[in-house]
Amino acid sequence: MFADEKLINVPFDVYRYDASRGGEPRYQHYELRLAPHTPILTGLLRIRDELDPTLSLRYSCRSAICGSCAMLVNSKSRLACHTPVGPEVREHGRIVVDPMRNQPILRDLVVDQQPFWSRYEKMEPHLILDPKHPMPEGRTTPMSPAQVERFKETPRCISCAACFSACPAVEADPAFPGPMALAKLYRFVVDPRDTAQTHRLRTIQTEGLWLCLRCHLCTEACPKDVRPSERIRDLKELAVQAQGGTEAGSRHAIGFLKNIEERGTLNELKLVRQTSGVTGLAASLPQGVRIWRKKPEVTKSPPPIEDLDQVKKIYAALKDEKAEES
Amino acid sequence: MLKHDIVVVGAGLAGQRAALAAARAGHDVALVSKLHPLRSHSGAAQGGINAAVGKEDSVETHIYDTVKGSDYLGDQDAIEFFCQQAGPTVIEMEHFGTIFSRSDDGSLARRAFGGAGFPRTIYAADRTGLALLQGIYEHLGTETIRIYEEWFLLSVVVRDGRVQGITAFDRKTLKVEGIEAKAVILATGPFGRVYGRTTNAHSCTGDGVAAAYRAGAALKDMEFVQFHPTALMESSILITEGARGEGGVLKNVNGERFMARYAPHVLDLASRDVVSRAIVTEVKEGRGFPGGFVHLELMHLGKEKVETRLQEICDFSRTYAGVDPVTEPIPVYPAQHYMMGGISTNMKGEASLIGLYAAGEAACVSIHGANRLGGNSLLETLVFGKQAGLAAAEFVGTAPDPEIRDDDLDKETARIQELWNRSEGESPRALRAELQQTMDQLVGIYRSPEELYRGLRQVRALQERYRNVRVIDRSTTYNIDLTDALEVGNLLALAEVIVVGAIARTESRGAHTRLDYPARDDKNWMKHTLARWTPNGPELSYAPVAYTRWEPKERVY
Ligand SMILES: Cc1cc2nc3c(=O)[nH]c(=O)nc-3n(C[C@H](O)[C@H](O)[C@H](O)COP(=O)(O)OP(=O)(O)OC[C@H]3O[C@@H](n4cnc5c(N)ncnc54)[C@H](O)[C@@H]3O)c2cc1C
Ligand code: SF4
Ligand code: SF4
Ligand code: FES
């Protein structure tokens, strides 16, 4: 139990910005004395109560179930109500709080979640039934505990977007659905009641499945242990199986190319370089990912891509590869 | 002016189910919510949803248990309908896509809950609310419904006794808008935040109930406040009754399983009011642990069971209380949990104003009477959410066109402007903290007339100070200083109704325990309290309880 914990000094540096009024973003410093187990959310609410009522954030349940309070805590995507202050102060000496990444900042710690939800909605996130096989009248569909197991931890997802904020592929390519949306897709693909598995798997093949970098940053960020990166791996396997395909690597390239051709975005090419031929976490952690780990600069939009030439070369190389294949 | 046939305010389980029913009936439906629908407080429900679907169980015993649990204040016709709908409702949610826990034979798994004759509570691990909320939200996506996401309800507009729509603002822009509608369904959930020690989310501030009250609708049975026996110390985060349903036991400082003295037959699974009173008594009489709590032990259930069936409970205990339930007892004490009272409706969800409907925890039908059984309120949101949606759909076919006028909007804009214009004044959060302290200390589980009167004086003094409340933040986007102020105003209005009702009811029934009137008084008090707004405080009247077949008996567990 947390009895007799000594209070510690907790310095907060909190991102402040108001899109409705413009101006420059800045960090504001606050200090509180708190018990080490105190959740960061409690600290932020104390700041509002005692020091500064103008600080804005989303929160509701204070128990890691409503998914409102994801933000960056010392550069990592975390739920404020599920992250105690003590270890942060011990490790970093202070608590830097920023709004989540990959979503436009509206005010202070509040972001516009449209990019997150619109990708989720593209997954057709509802049971698709075959009219010829309706649900059993007047009773539930039988489902064994083993079938429930197949959902893995995906039903625990609280849509907090911490994974979305942590994901480098989301930042690099607007076509990438992001970890939560893909974990959601997995949840429908393994659902014995759903009848659109083939359709779902075929669609996602060309709609960004292969853009995942396998960096596992989503899994590291998820407060509910949903493990999106592992479910994405499962989806890739299922997708290849469904098409009787074998060469996952080439699908990689096909997926990328289609994307580049259709959308013509530049950022994603940075990804290609990281992804091609990369397998594990360690190998996929060069350049791009380091950007994410570093303390974020105070910017209103993600930093621009640095290396256009490189990008074009990869694009050309991929085209060649495709031509050889066919 | 924005316009729809039907406006549903609140997108928890009740609001979404109402919107679904109304849209399916072919109407243009708007769903307004201050939170994204998936962030609604329904998602926090842990333990499960009741339906007598097991072979050994029956709808009849579910009805009986609910009537008895209500301490005979529930309307028996509504309870009969409610329990009959339980099976079909759960099946429907399964068909919508909800992922429930299953037994080996592929049927829905069930667990025991307090006050129930059989294991009747269907669940999804210990996150049943989230599973249901996801299921219905996914299904709702297949209908055409306009969602006003993160819009905040200000008022229900009523003219000539008829509802004309609502006023609300988009939290992104703070522009006050009118939404005209022939019917308004309020499903804005609970108001547990009148208390400090509460399992409810910060957003549970009764905005819809307060708006209905100010618009002239009657509130019902507001003095009945349920305290859940097992909330974590400090944070008051809930430890589900399902933990005891799985075999968890309560112990006092002497290691004694004290529930044996209070409910010799069902022990730890007695009704919530009974267990909460027992814990308070143990602590008061010196048998609590230092710091004032008792222990909930799960250790004997084994790591496997605790970590799979009570996964969230493990996380909550570890993160918020610093204990591992696999190896250590969990320190618990009662906290406010559920409001039996709310906007008075009948079985169809109709409130006392023409065109006004309510469902879910914001409403009072009443099926819970003086004490709700665990697992019955998730069911209530769905059964009566659908009822309200259907009734509103039927009503709008013949209703005249609604009209919101400029002065309806001006009034609300002026209200906000006034909060801003004060150069000095009270902090909404300071007022909220004082209100919560008052309610925790003076209007809790055991109620004495002295404390209740003191509570009323304090609440009224706070209302007076609220007239001078001030909003410092001037931003027009996500201004939570402003929403704090509006919410505290709502909490203060509702707290007064709770206390006034509690003072008037000179008996003990269900969750309402008067030290000076320790017995239930069926001769004088077998009736619902109704409260209406007046400039001088709530005006009380009483309405009969509907009976069908169950004679009041003494409640023993
Ligand atoms: C921790 C906890 C556990 C529980 N466990 C169980 C259980 O196991 N079984 C059971 O049967 N019951 C349980 N309950 C009770 C049950 O969860 C609730 O009674 C039920 O979910 C309420 O649902 P609702 O749809 O009425 O309201 P909510 O889900 O609270 O939804 C309210 C909606 O109204 C909206 N709203 C509020 N104010 C405004 C405003 N001003 N403007 C616009 N929108 C607004 C919100 O955004 C939200 O969408 C539990 C309750 C708690 C607190
Ligand atoms: S593993 Fe894939 S989905 Fe997860 S963060 Fe990395 S790129 Fe994004
Ligand atoms: S997968 Fe995890 S991190 Fe992502 S939205 Fe769901 S709960 Fe949040
Ligand atoms: S406040 Fe609900 S998840 Fe943190």
Side-chain angles (χ1 to χ4, degrees):
Chain A
M1 249 184 92
F2 293 131
D4 335 308
E5 264 185 349
K6 282 221 171 59
L7 297 189
I8 55 167
N9 201 44
V10 183
F12 283 93
D13 285 307
V14 184
Y15 180 96
R16 305 298 309 271
Y17 173 68
D18 186 342
S20 70
R21 292 197 273 196
E24 284 307 306
R26 64 196 159 89
Y27 285 101
Q28 190 154 352
H29 188 77
Y30 306 99
E31 298 213 8
L32 292 173
R33 289 192 63 78
L34 299 168
H37 74 272
T38 311
I40 285 172
L41 177 65
T42 309
L44 295 172
L45 296 183
R46 284 266 307 266
I47 290 175
R48 286 184 40 72
D49 284 355
E50 296 163 21
L51 303 170
D52 184 354
T54 70
L55 176 63
S56 187
L57 67 154
R58 281 196 186 94
Y59 65 97
S60 177
C61 71
R62 54 78 169 90
S63 58
I65 199 73
C66 75
S68 298
C69 71
M71 51 188 73
L72 300 188
V73 174
N74 288 323
S75 301
K76 290 192 175 161
S77 300
R78 293 285 180 264
L79 283 187
C81 69
H82 199 247
T83 310
V85 296
E88 295 296 324
V89 173
R90 221 175 304 131
E91 195 179 332
H92 302 274
R94 58 181 183 155
I95 301 182
V96 183
V97 190
D98 289 89
M100 275 193 282
R101 299 191 186 95
N102 294 335
Q103 298 151 91
I105 298 161
L106 294 172
R107 175 153 188 224
D108 300 344
L109 304 172
V110 181
V111 296
D112 178 357
Q113 301 216 270
Q114 206 44 46
F116 172 71
W117 290 118
S118 62
R119 282 156 158 107
Y120 159 81
E121 270 147 30
K122 271 188 81 176
M123 296 298 110
E124 301 178 81
H126 51 85
L127 287 183
I128 299 179
L129 301 178
D130 179 349
K132 283 190 293 232
H133 300 282
M135 293 282 190
E137 184 95 27
R139 59 193 173 83
T140 54
T141 334
M143 202 188 285
S144 65
Q147 282 174 309
V148 175
E149 282 283 298
R150 277 202 80 197
F151 292 109
K152 306 279 186 192
E153 300 294 328
T154 55
R156 288 187 77 189
C157 173
I158 56 170
S159 321
C160 67
C163 57
F164 189 84
S165 164
C167 175
V170 165
E171 199 264 341
D173 191 334
F176 183 58
M180 178 272 196
L182 288 171
K184 193 57 85 175
L185 181 73
Y186 171 87
R187 169 249 172 280
F188 284 100
V189 165
V190 299
D191 194 318
R193 297 166 295 189
D194 193 79
T195 54
Q197 290 191 5
T198 320
H199 158 76
R200 290 185 191 277
L201 288 170
R202 190 177 299 143
T203 314
I204 199 61
Q205 282 269 52
T206 51
E207 294 287 337
L209 176 61
W210 298 98
L211 293 172
C212 167
L213 294 166
R214 288 176 274 173
C215 65
H216 299 291
L217 290 176
C218 51
T219 293
E220 192 256 347
C222 177
K224 304 306 278 189
D225 204 28
V226 172
R227 308 187 157 265
S229 54
E230 293 178 15
R231 302 296 75 80
I232 295 172
R233 179 203 59 203
D234 295 346
L235 276 177
K236 286 176 178 169
E237 264 168 37
L238 289 167
V240 171
Q241 274 168 24
Q243 304 221 328
T246 45
E247 242 302 283
S250 73
R251 289 184 194 284
H252 240 144
I254 295 167
F256 274 126
L257 254 193
K258 184 168 181 312
N259 245 290
I260 296 158
E261 281 170 357
E262 278 181 1
R263 297 190 180 70
T265 39
L266 293 175
N267 275 4
E268 64 220 59
L269 295 168
K270 187 162 73 178
L271 279 180
V272 177
R273 190 177 54 190
Q274 293 171 353
T275 321
S276 40
V278 172
T279 44
L281 170 64
S284 63
L285 274 179
Q287 192 189 348
V289 175
R290 245 183 290 123
I291 296 179
W292 297 102
R293 292 220 182 265
K294 137 179 134 189
K295 190 179 116 22
E297 286 150 37
V298 185
T299 51
K300 273 172 266 177
S301 55
I305 188 156
E306 305 126 32
D307 201 346
L308 280 190
D309 274 355
Q310 185 80 24
V311 157
K312 286 178 188 151
K313 270 185 222 148
I314 296 163
Y315 179 50
L318 274 174
K319 266 227 155 120
D320 288 349
E321 204 180 295
K322 197 184 175 194
E324 272 165 38
E325 259 178 40
S326 50
Chain B
M1 202 75 68
L2 301 159
K3 190 171 189 149
H4 299 274
D5 294 340
I6 298 171
V7 169
V8 183
V9 189
L13 284 171
Q16 290 193 49
R17 191 62 192 83
L20 185 63
R24 285 246 177 101
H27 293 288
D28 166 20
V29 179
L31 186 55
V32 177
S33 177
K34 70 177 176 182
L35 308 172
H36 183 284
L38 282 175
R39 313 217 183 283
S40 299
H41 178 59
S42 288
Q46 302 171 355
I49 177 167
N50 292 341
V53 293
K55 283 195 194 70
E56 73 291 4
D57 202 355
S58 70
V59 171
E60 197 68 13
T61 32
H62 188 191
I63 299 172
Y64 173 72
D65 288 340
T66 306
V67 169
K68 177 181 171 191
S70 82
D71 221 348
Y72 300 91
L73 194 68
D75 288 327
Q76 297 183 2
D77 52 351
I79 293 174
E80 287 191 42
F81 171 78
F82 167 72
C83 296
Q84 282 153 7
Q85 292 303 309
T89 301
V90 169
I91 291 168
E92 183 177 69
M93 289 307 294
E94 195 275 332
H95 288 183
F96 285 174
T98 304
I99 301 169
F100 288 107
S101 297
R102 302 286 179 144
S103 319
D104 288 338
D105 65 359
S107 65
L108 303 180
R110 284 168 285 125
R111 61 164 55 118
F113 245 47
F118 296 97
R120 170 185 300 144
T121 304
I122 290 159
Y123 60 93
D126 52 355
R127 47 175 177 275
T128 314
L130 183 66
L132 293 168
L133 196 61
Q134 285 174 352
I136 199 159
Y137 184 69
E138 287 157 11
H139 193 74
L140 201 70
T142 63
E143 294 286 337
T144 318
I145 289 169
R146 172 74 206 273
I147 299 185
Y148 292 81
E149 189 184 307
E150 299 195 319
W151 278 53
F152 192 99
L153 169 77
L154 285 166
S155 69
V156 176
V157 180
V158 178
R159 194 166 296 111
D160 309 326
R162 237 175 210 288
V163 164
Q164 312 289 329
I166 63 163
T167 64
F169 63 82
D170 182 347
R171 299 180 72 168
K172 266 198 202 70
T173 60
L174 229 150
K175 184 164 178 292
V176 176
E177 303 257 19
I179 308 180
E180 290 173 339
K182 292 175 182 172
V184 170
I185 303 175
L186 296 173
T188 48
F191 40 102
R193 286 279 155 177
V194 293
Y195 288 86
R197 272 196 65 78
T198 174
T199 63
N200 285 194
H202 287 282
S203 58
C204 298
T205 51
D207 305 341
V209 183
Y213 177 56
R214 280 195 299 266
L219 308 184
K220 193 194 288 166
D221 292 341
M222 293 286 283
E223 62 271 32
F224 293 99
V225 178
Q226 179 168 83
F227 291 81
H228 196 292
T230 58
L232 291 179
M233 294 303 290
E234 186 175 316
S235 63
S236 299
I237 289 170
L238 177 74
I239 299 299
T240 174
E241 195 160 298
R244 280 169 289 136
E246 297 290 350
V249 297
L250 292 164
K251 292 201 177 153
N252 64 19
V253 74
N254 304 323
E256 180 203 3
R257 222 180 141 179
F258 58 86
M259 281 312 297
R261 281 186 275 114
Y262 299 86
H265 302 295
V266 292
L267 302 157
D268 302 273
L269 282 176
S271 198
R272 286 181 181 172
D273 52 336
V274 176
V275 184
S276 289
R277 280 194 295 268
I279 295 175
V280 172
T281 306
E282 288 301 293
V283 171
K284 244 190 202 144
E285 294 180 356
R287 292 185 297 276
F289 288 84
F293 53 86
V294 299
H295 276 166
L296 173 63
E297 292 190 357
L298 305 179
M299 296 96 78
H300 57 288
L301 302 179
K303 186 177 163 75
E304 160 75 21
K305 192 166 178 181
V306 174
E307 286 191 340
T308 53
R309 299 221 200 148
L310 300 168
Q311 201 174 19
E312 308 292 334
I313 295 311
C314 283
D315 179 21
F316 291 158
S317 308
R318 288 168 188 158
T319 310
Y320 302 114
V323 299
D324 185 347
V326 174
T327 55
E328 297 164 276
I330 311 172
V332 294
Y333 192 77
Q336 189 283 339
H337 182 57
Y338 185 86
M339 294 294 184
M340 268 71 76
I343 302 164
S344 178
T345 74
N346 59 17
M347 274 163 68
K348 292 168 76 183
E350 293 166 339
S352 59
L353 301 172
I354 302 168
L356 187 66
Y357 299 77
E361 197 166 335
C364 177
V365 177
S366 139
I367 50 155
H368 308 304
N371 173 61
R372 169 188 76 111
L373 292 189
N376 265 357
S377 57
L378 287 176
L379 181 60
E380 179 194 19
T381 62
L382 297 166
V383 170
F384 291 103
K386 181 176 175 184
Q387 285 289 94
L390 291 175
E394 199 184 307
F395 167 80
V396 297
T398 54
D401 259 357
E403 187 199 4
I404 292 182
R405 298 184 187 150
D406 286 344
D407 45 313
D408 296 322
L409 295 182
D410 294 346
K411 211 165 67 192
E412 294 304 319
T413 312
R415 182 151 78 103
I416 292 176
Q417 205 60 50
E418 206 184 322
L419 295 170
W420 262 329
N421 286 348
R422 296 194 181 113
S423 56
E424 56 194 280
E426 300 271 0
S427 147
R429 287 159 298 280
L431 292 180
R432 185 176 62 202
E434 284 186 49
L435 170 68
Q436 292 175 339
Q437 213 179 6
T438 300
M439 295 299 283
D440 281 349
Q441 287 172 0
L442 303 176
V443 196
I445 294 179
Y446 286 108
R447 298 167 171 185
S448 74
E450 300 76 33
E451 290 187 338
L452 288 175
Y453 275 110
R454 192 138 51 88
L456 182 61
R457 277 197 304 277
Q458 292 186 11
V459 169
R460 289 196 167 143
L462 289 166
Q463 287 178 336
E464 203 48 48
R465 282 166 58 193
Y466 181 79
R467 297 156 74 100
N468 193 32
V469 74
R470 175 189 179 209
V471 170
I472 292 173
D473 187 358
R474 305 219 141 227
S475 174
T476 54
T477 192
Y478 289 89
N479 187 328
I480 53 177
D481 194 14
L482 174 68
T483 42
D484 276 349
L486 296 169
E487 289 172 348
V488 176
N490 295 333
L491 291 175
L492 283 166
L494 299 179
E496 186 188 13
V497 186
I498 294 173
V499 190
V500 168
I503 289 173
R505 188 173 282 271
T506 47
E507 66 158 349
S508 291
R509 180 185 298 272
H512 173 67
T513 309
R514 284 280 297 252
L515 291 169
D516 50 341
Y517 293 93
R520 196 174 79 195
D521 177 357
D522 289 341
K523 197 162 139 273
N524 296 306
W525 284 106
M526 187 87 86
K527 56 190 181 187
H528 296 296
T529 308
L530 294 177
R532 282 196 169 76
W533 185 89
T534 78
N536 307 316
E539 184 182 271
L540 301 186
S541 58
Y542 293 90
V545 175
Y547 286 102
T548 55
R549 293 181 280 152
W550 287 271
E551 283 295 318
K553 283 192 284 197
E554 201 198 337
R555 245 167 104 234
V556 216
Y557 284 100

